[in-house]
Amino acid sequence: MTDASPAPTPRRARVRAPQLTGKGGWLNTGEKQYTLADLRGRIVILDFWTFCCINCLHVLDELRELEEKHRDTVVIIGVHSPKFVHEAEHQAVVDAVERYGVEHPVLDDPELATWKQYAVRAWPTLVVIDPEGYVVAQHAGEGHAHAIERLVAELETEHTAKGTLRRGDGPYVPPEPEPTVLRFPGKAIALPGGTFLVSDTTRHQLVELAADGEGVVRRIGSGARGFGDGTADSASFNEPQGLALLDDGSVVVADTVNHALRRLDLTTGAVTTLAGTGRQWMQGEPTSGPAREVSLSSPWDVAWWRGKVWIAMAGVHQLWAYDPAGDPTEATVAVTAGTTNEGLVDGPGAEAWFAQPSGLAATADRLWLADSETSALRWVDLGGAVHTAVGTGLFDFGHRDGAAEQALLQHPLGVTALPDGSVAISDTYNHALRRYDPATGEVTTLATDLREPSDAVLVGDDILVVESARHRLTRLRLPEEAVRVESVAHRTQRAATEVAPGELELDVIFRAPAGQKLDTRYGPSTRLLVSATPPELLLGGEGAGTDLNRTLTLDPAVTEGVLHVSAMAASCDDDPSNEYPACHVHQQDWGVPVRLTEGGADRLPLVLAGMDDRDDQDA
């Protein structure tokens, strides 16, 4: 759509923004409730997110700089849109907003009312609304902060000239800090002297606790969000999580938001960097090489197994390994399992699919892992093959004991090896500690009434549970008998898109940001991967390719299922005189529930960046 006037730039498509509604109300506003009309005159960015989603957490961090730079013109509003049942609990959203340092208003939308009004299809999705209340852009996935920054600058210029931009303080009101010893701790390990080391995630520190699990021995890290090596007082972390004790007495730390592995010298308290560049790994970058030269992506846990530090690389749904190689200057990192596709697929490491692996535990012959987004317990054998003990996929979860093939978990974040060969599972969103016994194939419940347990440490006949949302370690006696609970099963509930059987046009929409073009210097700059659950849904069109438009053929005999779509596009500055143009990768995964009905849609548009021109209409 272009303007009839002789202006050289196209007129930006605008659609009137729907109202913001959410049964849970507003957070970070000092209890004030807002409407879009209250925000007229400001540039509003809606961030549709859910706190289980690693991509959503990446976007929170991508937006921090923009949020600070344009604080007097831009209002970012997080629209919390839950996937899991636990995420629809209001207190869980309150906890998550503090846990992840969200410094803007959040609308708690447990029934997905605003999600549906804006026709959102994926977590995360960003929607930009201009000062006059019109939607002017939509972006799904990661890597869009630079494009939104450019759009914000254009809107500031345009609406300053029109007199429709209103500057000033935004509606954000920070909550009062709570004086607890720990704040949303993530992981813990036992140290040789009988004390415990805990990642105090929200305070960006490590804390050594006394043998009682309560008294503070020392804190490591400045407590300010940052990425700096140094002494125990001066070093800085950014939401650290996993910890692993090495044979030399040092500790490896998964410094999650810094996308790095750090080393803590327990004797001196000095912190150094072992692996990572401090930048998030993106598609197309090296997956092996010198440890300090290869980027990582949200390492969530670490474990020492078979002479290497294995890494639960939650950000790209893979397992990696750090090989110390004796000399730190020769240390390397490399992918050991996973394709970066999100899902549950067993088999050889190079073919397996994971979904946000978040907890690791090593035994002599197995590496156990908590695969959080598939609500699964999985393991790697000595040959590198991946197996599933509990869990069926991305959409089934709940609290059900019994035979492993029908048992259910809900977004577990931790796993702990027990002396009898079984494992304890920190079943985070069920607020429970579960047990899987490989000898019997049975799942039982060890304890309930925990609050978002994220890890556990074996201490003699006791187990010390990291109750993340209660900000403490809780000591439990391992019970001889399992707790009996009422079985509950859930499926992710999102409205299915009605599509016609037969041919379906899949159209992933990507518009390069202003001043940029697709990067074709080294071949195609786009990538599209399509699969389905069940696989029989697709008679044609599955697999990988480089065109963002594809014709799928749906089997009329399969009445419903989920289309899994993964898209990537790379764009660079469009300036021939610039020898080193800045380039950016935009990527997103969609899981689109579909129902086959006669008269259903024959086209499925998914917006990666831009607006769907076929549906644009000026309001």
Side-chain angles (χ1 to χ4, degrees):
M1 179 182 292
T2 58
D3 197 308
S5 71
T9 55
R11 189 176 71 173
R12 192 178 294 112
R14 303 196 309 170
V15 177
R16 176 66 72 179
Q19 273 303 329
L20 305 177
T21 58
K23 190 175 180 180
W26 290 81
L27 306 176
N28 280 357
T29 61
E31 301 186 358
K32 182 174 179 179
Q33 307 298 299
Y34 280 88
T35 67
L36 270 180
D38 298 325
L39 303 172
R40 192 64 53 82
R42 309 299 290 270
I43 301 164
V44 176
I45 300 172
L46 303 182
D47 176 15
F48 289 87
W49 70 300
T50 188
F51 63 78
C52 72
C53 160
I54 191 67
N55 311 91
C56 299
L57 303 185
H58 289 166
V59 167
L60 282 176
D61 291 306
E62 288 178 5
L63 292 176
R64 291 186 198 279
E65 184 177 345
L66 182 147
E67 190 168 26
E68 180 60 34
K69 183 177 178 181
H70 297 274
R71 193 169 290 278
D72 67 332
T73 59
V74 171
V75 175
I76 296 177
I77 294 173
V79 182
H80 189 268
S81 312
K83 172 186 175 182
F84 289 97
V85 169
H86 170 59
E87 293 173 312
E89 297 176 14
H90 182 69
Q91 185 57 47
V93 181
V94 172
D95 288 344
V97 167
E98 181 187 352
R99 181 196 300 268
Y100 297 115
V102 179
E103 296 184 352
H104 51 248
V106 172
L107 176 64
D108 181 12
D109 184 18
E111 297 175 348
L112 302 180
T114 297
W115 165 288
K116 294 170 187 173
Q117 284 289 321
Y118 281 82
V120 175
R121 295 184 182 274
W123 296 278
T125 291
L126 298 168
V127 175
V128 182
I129 301 172
D130 73 12
E132 294 178 292
Y134 290 91
V135 174
V136 293
Q138 181 172 326
H139 302 265
E142 303 179 45
H144 301 294
H146 69 286
I148 293 176
E149 164 82 34
R150 188 181 291 266
L151 176 56
V152 164
E154 292 176 0
L155 290 172
E156 286 177 341
T157 300
E158 175 185 338
H159 288 275
T160 297
K162 292 175 68 174
T164 49
L165 183 69
R166 177 166 56 91
R167 296 178 180 269
D169 293 335
Y172 171 64
V173 178
E176 288 293 325
E178 296 286 341
T180 52
V181 171
L182 302 172
R183 205 68 191 162
F184 297 104
K187 306 287 185 181
I189 56 171
L191 297 179
T195 59
F196 300 94
L197 189 68
V198 184
S199 53
D200 196 14
T201 304
T202 298
R203 293 206 177 116
H204 315 295
Q205 289 181 319
L206 309 179
V207 180
E208 184 177 354
L209 296 180
D212 63 3
E214 296 181 11
V216 175
V217 177
R218 60 174 169 167
R219 293 182 179 273
I220 294 116
S222 67
R225 188 189 294 270
F227 186 22
D229 291 343
T231 66
D233 293 331
S234 65
S236 54
F237 299 95
N238 198 342
E239 298 183 23
Q241 286 281 350
L243 307 166
L245 185 67
L246 301 186
D247 293 341
D248 65 2
S250 66
V251 174
V252 175
V253 182
D255 194 4
T256 304
V257 179
N258 278 329
H259 311 294
L261 297 189
R262 317 291 292 282
R263 177 185 183 272
L264 168 64
D265 186 315
L266 286 171
T267 303
T268 66
V271 175
T272 53
T273 299
L274 294 177
T277 63
R279 299 184 305 276
Q280 181 187 343
W281 183 93
M282 301 297 278
Q283 289 286 353
E285 294 188 18
T287 55
S288 64
R292 292 290 303 272
E293 298 175 17
V294 176
S295 293
L296 310 180
S297 182
S298 297
W300 206 275
D301 203 4
V302 282
W304 179 255
W305 191 54
R306 301 176 61 203
K308 298 178 181 179
V309 176
W310 287 63
I311 310 164
M313 202 71 77
V316 284
H317 317 300
Q318 291 180 312
L319 297 179
W320 288 45
Y322 167 82
D323 186 347
D327 184 344
T329 63
E330 298 176 359
T332 59
V333 291
V335 175
T336 55
T339 64
T340 75
N341 295 321
E342 185 179 11
L344 193 154
V345 176
D346 289 339
E351 301 173 11
W353 291 23
F354 301 99
Q356 225 168 288
S358 300
L360 298 174
T363 63
D365 60 349
R366 293 186 181 188
L367 180 70
W368 293 97
L369 67 108
D371 203 29
S372 61
E373 281 291 284
T374 53
S375 297
L377 173 68
R378 306 178 74 184
W379 54 280
V380 181
D381 65 25
L382 293 175
V386 178
H387 309 262
T388 297
V390 183
T392 60
L394 287 165
F395 302 100
D396 293 294
F397 58 93
H399 193 155
R400 181 193 287 156
D401 287 338
E405 55 268 22
Q406 57 86 51
L408 294 172
L409 310 170
Q410 187 180 178
H411 198 82
L413 290 178
V415 59
T416 306
L418 300 179
D420 63 359
S422 67
V423 291
I425 307 157
S426 295
D427 193 6
T428 310
Y429 287 4
N430 279 329
H431 309 300
L433 191 68
R434 312 285 292 283
R435 176 178 178 265
Y436 168 69
D437 186 350
T440 64
E442 292 286 313
V443 175
T444 52
T445 297
L446 297 175
T448 56
D449 194 31
L450 301 168
R451 187 69 188 171
E452 292 192 17
S454 54
D455 197 16
V457 183
L458 194 65
V459 188
D461 293 332
D462 295 342
I463 193 163
L464 203 61
V465 180
V466 180
E467 276 199 274
S468 188
R470 283 199 178 115
H471 319 293
R472 70 188 188 192
L473 305 189
T474 299
R475 187 181 294 263
L476 304 173
R477 178 56 54 95
L478 279 172
E480 295 181 8
E481 297 294 329
V483 175
R484 295 197 176 275
V485 298
E486 195 78 29
S487 292
V488 180
H490 299 289
R491 293 212 82 206
T492 298
Q493 294 296 323
R494 276 184 287 155
T497 298
E498 294 194 349
V499 296
E503 290 194 348
L504 175 69
E505 181 188 356
L506 173 63
D507 192 5
V508 175
I509 294 141
F510 177 76
R511 305 284 180 262
Q516 294 203 328
K517 65 178 180 179
L518 288 173
D519 178 20
T520 57
R521 293 171 297 165
Y522 307 108
S525 60
T526 55
R527 173 179 174 266
L528 181 65
L529 178 69
V530 180
S531 62
T533 302
E536 297 77 21
L537 174 63
L538 281 175
L539 293 175
E542 71 279 6
T546 58
D547 194 337
L548 294 182
N549 182 277
R550 185 182 301 181
T551 299
L552 310 181
T553 304
L554 307 182
D555 187 348
V558 181
T559 57
E560 61 181 48
V562 179
L563 292 174
H564 304 282
V565 180
S566 177
M568 183 274 289
S571 63
C572 294
D573 289 344
D574 187 11
D575 182 357
S577 65
N578 186 354
E579 186 177 356
Y580 303 104
C583 297
H584 304 273
V585 175
H586 318 253
Q587 58 189 34
Q588 173 60 12
D589 299 327
W590 290 268
V592 184
V594 294
R595 182 178 299 112
L596 275 60
T597 57
E598 294 297 336
D602 60 4
R603 175 176 177 261
L604 177 61
L606 300 175
V607 177
L608 179 59
M611 299 281 280
D612 183 6
D613 290 342
R614 294 205 203 174
D615 294 335
D616 285 344
Q617 51 183 319
D618 199 5

